[in-house]
Amino acid sequence: MEKIISYPISFVAMLLFLLVLIVFHPIQWVCFNFIGYTAHKRSVDYLNFCLLRIGQLLGTTFRIENREMLPEDVPLIFVSNHQSLYDIIGIIWFLRKFHPKFVSKQELAKGIPSVSYNLRHGGSVIIDRKDPKQAIPVIKKLAEYIELHHRSAVIFPEGTRSRTGVPKEFAQSGIKILCKYAPSAYVVPLTINNSWKFVKYGFFPFGLGNRLTFTVHKPLPIKDFSFEEIMERTQKAVVQSIKI
């Protein structure tokens, strides 16, 4: 029954989603080319705020927990599980104070209004998942960027979205590069719950009435732990808080 009801609501939400992406694309372009970083970032923030509101049309609620424990004016490396596009939308909006930049696959960097433009020009980095050697200098560049500007990197070590909420094995290489070249950073485990239910029927229609939560765990100063300890603590914090 939910799936049947969702079709007309999802159709309206999809149209609004595409409209918002199209409208904000030239706004981003103007901000980036004629005003500067701050204006461009704000345009991206409010783009994602609008996309969250569209999610609410489907009965989706969003909540972030423990954000107050995040240290300020230091580089942060958010390590999160990944379930749907709304993971990224929520992170950009709720953690906007920390200027999140993403390690993203190259397929998203072209052809999607607003999204692709921001990935190419907003400070995120693009990797080819089929070419691990290409990813090394790209992720190193992101680490040096957040170290210099005290901003944040977001990485999904599962490599791809979980379509059932069950976490996949965490890859270490990307996190290791970020830690090595941003030595003053804090690694922040982040658990996302129920995002997968938004796309439980596939691309269309959307799931209705979902309760998305973003749970921030205790930040880990890189300088205080070995990399092995960071990976163990991070994966344990993220995975143990996932609710299936």
Side-chain angles (χ1 to χ4, degrees), residues 26-37:
I27 294 174
Q28 277 195 69
W29 186 86
V30 170
C31 289
F32 179 80
N33 288 284
F34 296 101
I35 305 178
Y37 172 83

Side-chain angles (χ1 to χ4, degrees), residues 48-220:
N48 285 275
F49 172 77
C50 292
L51 297 179
L52 283 180
R53 291 300 185 211
I54 293 171
Q56 290 176 328
L57 291 176
L58 299 156
T60 304
T61 62
F62 304 88
R63 185 176 79 252
I64 186 163
E65 301 173 337
N66 306 328
R67 180 171 47 187
E68 66 279 358
M69 71 168 58
L70 291 171
E72 298 184 16
D73 199 30
V74 295
L76 301 176
I77 301 169
F78 290 99
V79 180
S80 176
N81 62 313
H82 191 21
Q83 298 182 350
S84 82
L85 174 63
Y86 265 90
D87 301 344
I88 298 169
I89 294 170
I91 288 171
I92 291 175
W93 176 250
F94 291 120
L95 298 175
R96 61 191 182 278
K97 180 178 181 179
F98 303 98
H99 300 248
K101 313 301 178 185
F102 293 83
V103 178
S104 179
K105 60 183 181 180
Q106 64 178 0
E107 290 84 355
L108 297 177
K110 55 184 178 180
I112 308 173
S114 287
V115 173
S116 298
Y117 189 88
N118 181 49
L119 287 175
R120 293 196 309 271
H121 300 286
S124 296
V125 294
I126 313 300
I127 64 170
D128 181 356
R129 292 186 297 181
K130 297 177 182 179
D131 184 3
K133 290 184 179 180
Q134 175 268 347
I136 294 173
V138 170
I139 297 176
K140 175 177 178 286
K141 179 181 177 182
L142 176 60
E144 292 170 341
Y145 172 87
I146 66 168
E147 178 76 12
L148 176 64
H149 296 286
H150 288 188
R151 291 172 181 163
S152 66
V154 181
I155 188 166
F156 301 115
E158 294 167 285
T160 187
R161 293 178 293 176
S162 168
R163 300 187 183 278
T164 61
V166 178
K168 302 176 186 295
E169 184 178 355
F170 281 22
Q172 298 186 14
S173 56
I175 303 171
K176 192 170 188 177
I177 296 168
L178 289 171
C179 290
K180 180 178 180 180
Y181 293 101
S184 68
Y186 286 63
V187 172
V188 183
L190 178 67
T191 300
I192 300 171
N193 272 304
N194 295 324
S195 178
W196 70 272
K197 295 179 181 178
F198 190 82
V199 288
K200 62 184 176 182
Y201 301 125
F203 179 74
F204 191 87
F206 303 127
L208 301 179
N210 300 308
R211 305 289 181 261
L212 272 63
T213 59
F214 298 77
T215 303
V216 174
H217 300 284
K218 185 178 179 180
L220 304 170

